[in-house]
Amino acid sequence: MSTLPEATTFGTTPEAPSDSAPQRKTEGVVLHVKQEVPVYDAPEGSAIARLPATQFKSPSWLPIIAERGDWARILLPSRPNGSTGWVRSGTAKVEKAYTPYVVTVDVEQRRVVVRKNDREVGSWTVGVGSPGTRTPKGRTFILASIRETVTDFSPIILPLGTHSETLTTYGGGPGTVAFHGWPDPSVFGTASSDGCVRVPSDALHLLKSLPLGTLVLVR
């Protein structure tokens, strides 16, 4: 398994199947990877990657988008955007859980909505990617939670399982798109970021409380 590419935000999984329903809600089931596991292109198919137990030092939780027997198809955090893969779900190396939350990002309206069991629990005007570095659309998820210690623009960074489609890196990282705060409220309602979603402090407070693996639909 050591020869397989690592399915992390720093990795690329070129043989991963693409998400065929990038705007469809899931059933809310998420998979916790407790030990590194192989990722396959299909149930009983070929191994295409390895999925570690942590992402950005946070535990690996990923949305399940389909199930077939003891197999679960999950969204992957690696490039290219929309990468998916199958893992065996009936082993001690993984466990399932449920999250009632879904986050929707409307890029054109520049708005984030959080719903719990289909009921809106928060809605905010936000900042999104500029015309040259647009926030990528599709189905993704909250990948990790990072306490910011280098800069002071946001106390918490919430990386998502998606990347800029125009930048290969920014801030020294792999171009991972994230939710984060911003000290100047004039950015909310504008398209001025490098692809990240800039949110008000009360939005960030709610978003950081959501379970890792929570589905994010960027439209």
Side-chain angles (χ1 to χ4, degrees):
M1 192 163 62
S2 62
T3 61
L4 295 172
E6 197 170 47
T8 72
T9 194
F10 297 93
T12 300
T13 49
E15 297 181 33
S18 296
D19 186 4
S20 58
Q23 293 298 335
R24 182 181 299 168
K25 289 175 58 179
T26 67
E27 298 297 321
V29 184
V30 290
L31 192 76
H32 177 208
V33 179
K34 298 186 286 185
Q35 299 178 48
E36 186 177 68
V37 294
V39 180
Y40 298 84
D41 59 2
E44 307 294 351
S46 300
I48 56 171
R50 53 193 171 96
L51 185 61
T54 59
Q55 306 279 343
F56 282 122
K57 299 183 179 179
S58 293
S60 291
W61 287 92
L62 308 103
I64 294 177
I65 60 174
E67 294 190 83
R68 190 181 302 172
D70 286 337
W71 290 86
R73 188 178 185 183
I74 56 174
L75 295 179
L76 297 177
S78 44
R79 290 181 184 268
N81 288 343
S83 292
T84 72
W86 292 85
V87 299
R88 290 188 179 273
S89 57
T91 75
K93 293 184 177 181
V94 301
E95 64 179 344
K96 295 178 187 177
Y98 173 77
T99 171
Y101 295 96
V102 176
V103 183
T104 302
V105 181
D106 188 320
V107 175
E108 306 307 323
Q109 296 297 318
R110 297 161 193 175
R111 193 151 197 87
V112 162
V113 177
V114 179
R115 291 181 174 85
K116 180 180 182 182
N117 294 320
D118 291 326
R119 181 178 64 86
E120 184 177 307
V121 294
S123 178
W124 300 269
T125 300
V126 299
V128 297
S130 66
T133 54
R134 295 183 185 277
T135 301
K137 296 182 179 180
R139 186 161 55 169
T140 185
F141 57 100
I142 299 177
L143 175 65
S145 179
I146 302 173
R147 184 166 297 279
E148 182 57 66
T149 59
V150 178
T151 63
D152 58 2
F153 65 83
S154 181
I156 296 288
I157 309 293
L158 300 173
L160 304 180
T162 192
H163 300 80
S164 169
E165 295 176 342
T166 52
L167 301 174
T168 57
T169 182
Y170 46 70
T176 307
V177 172
F179 290 128
H180 60 71
W182 200 256
D184 180 1
S186 67
V187 303
F188 304 136
T190 71
S192 57
S193 80
D194 286 332
C196 287
V197 181
R198 297 167 171 172
V199 303
S201 59
D202 53 342
L204 186 64
H205 181 74
L206 176 58
L207 289 167
K208 73 179 183 180
S209 73
L210 303 186
L212 297 181
T214 292
L215 185 70
V216 178
L217 298 174
V218 186
R219 297 170 167 166

